[in-house]
Amino acid sequence: MSKIRVLVWNENYHEQVSEAIAAIYPRGIHTTIAEGLSTDPDLTVSTATMDMEEFGLSEEALAQTDVLIVWAHHRHGELPDEIATRVQQRVLDGMGFLVLHSAHLCKPFVRLMGTVCRSRWRENDEKERLWVIEQGHPIAEGLPAYLEFEEEETYGERFDIPTPDELVFISWFSGGEVFRSGCCFYRGKGKIFYFRPGHEAYPTYYREDVRRILINAVKWARPINGPAHAFGHHPVPLENIRIQDHSDEIHPTL
Ligand code: ZN
């Protein structure tokens, strides 16, 4: 199997404007995520930020990406619609898409979901207990029954997404909320995984178990070389059937 090409993309805002956040992720949250992924010999990992040319998401960059990982929070509105369309189309064409934490409101994800994607939230250093509820799922490989984060941002239902095709994790928070924290979606030929933990104020992406989850998710979301699309009218039948002649019928134009 050839190596999976991963691009870790970050809006790169909080690390630049907050000394406290920069102290946790001095070289940017994308660098820490990439370092975790780079421990796996099956992956080739690169990084990009919103401050680069074409917002770090050029046609060339995406063409060389098998799985795109996005962390974003504050700058969703700055991403041009044209670039959001480009990412959306690449996912439909088969690129894997991992959407982390507050990136649930990034334009490409919201479009691919077709819903508002908002949730309840509270920054209060509460404990999170993340349960693995689909224990045979590839993203759960090697994990214990649950993970605990002593301090994380609280998210709560309702999380306004379509019902996930596969739900791998559910979180509980010490304030009482619950949240669908590991959600898989199939869109076109592409696979999408949303993973909730990873607020910028906590060192979540240094954890070995979180790194394990992201590596598992990249491998699950990698493009599959399945059959090409076969859309359109009047395909040649595979069986020997009589073809009816409808040429006399009048079809209303739409
Ligand atoms: Zn957050």
Side-chain angles (χ1 to χ4, degrees):
M1 190 177 76
S2 57
K3 289 197 173 199
I4 305 170
R5 300 165 300 175
V6 185
L7 179 62
V8 183
W9 185 93
N10 176 19
E11 68 172 16
N12 205 28
Y13 173 75
H14 298 289
E15 304 93 321
Q16 308 299 321
V17 299
S18 163
E19 280 185 25
I21 306 303
I24 299 168
Y25 295 111
R27 288 179 295 144
I29 208 163
H30 52 293
T31 308
T32 302
I33 292 168
E35 284 171 354
L37 295 168
S38 298
T39 60
D40 192 289
D42 294 335
L43 313 186
T44 302
V45 187
S46 53
T47 62
T49 70
M50 196 174 214
D51 305 314
M52 294 168 63
E53 203 170 318
E54 293 206 51
F55 296 78
L57 296 168
S58 66
E59 295 273 11
E60 298 72 33
L62 290 178
Q64 294 168 24
T65 299
D66 296 316
V67 178
L68 173 67
I69 301 180
V70 166
W71 195 100
H73 174 231
H74 191 76
R75 301 175 66 187
H76 298 309
E78 292 179 41
L79 192 74
D81 289 347
E82 171 195 338
I83 305 247
T85 301
R86 185 183 291 171
V87 173
Q88 179 185 14
Q89 190 59 52
R90 270 289 288 158
V91 174
L92 295 175
D93 289 342
M95 181 181 71
F97 190 28
L98 270 54
V99 178
L100 303 180
H101 187 61
S102 43
H104 65 327
L105 290 174
C106 76
K107 284 184 186 179
F109 182 70
V110 172
R111 288 180 181 200
L112 286 158
M113 295 298 103
T115 54
V116 177
C117 297
R118 299 201 76 88
S119 70
R120 293 154 59 92
W121 57 274
R122 181 170 60 242
E123 288 184 51
N124 194 40
D125 298 341
E126 288 165 41
K127 179 175 182 171
E128 174 175 6
R129 185 175 294 132
L130 181 139
W131 288 93
V132 179
I133 62 164
E134 205 60 81
Q135 294 161 315
H137 197 282
I139 296 177
E141 184 164 3
L143 297 181
Y146 60 86
L147 278 57
E148 285 189 339
F149 302 81
E150 282 310 313
E151 292 185 340
E152 250 291 355
E153 184 178 10
T154 296
Y155 276 15
E157 298 281 352
R158 174 171 166 82
F159 181 21
D160 186 23
I161 50 171
T163 299
D165 295 307
E166 293 156 10
L167 183 58
V168 187
F169 306 130
I170 287 181
S171 289
W172 165 92
F173 299 87
S174 50
E177 277 82 359
V178 294
F179 195 80
R180 289 170 289 174
S181 281
C183 307
C184 299
F185 302 92
Y186 294 80
R187 293 290 185 275
K189 288 178 76 176
K191 298 193 279 300
I192 302 166
F193 180 61
Y194 171 75
F195 183 62
R196 196 218 75 86
H199 184 61
E200 67 273 7
Y202 309 107
T204 298
Y205 295 115
Y206 290 97
R207 289 176 54 135
E208 285 304 316
D209 45 14
V210 169
R211 291 179 159 184
R212 174 82 262 149
I213 288 168
L214 296 184
I215 289 169
N216 289 348
V218 163
K219 293 182 177 180
W220 170 81
R222 78 187 190 282
I224 300 294
N225 189 22
H229 294 310
F231 299 130
H233 293 294
H234 304 302
V236 176
L238 300 182
E239 304 294 338
N240 186 19
I241 57 169
R242 187 174 67 87
I243 303 291
Q244 300 177 49
D245 183 1
H246 296 287
S247 56
D248 294 341
E249 294 178 10
I250 297 170
H251 294 275
T253 49
L254 296 174

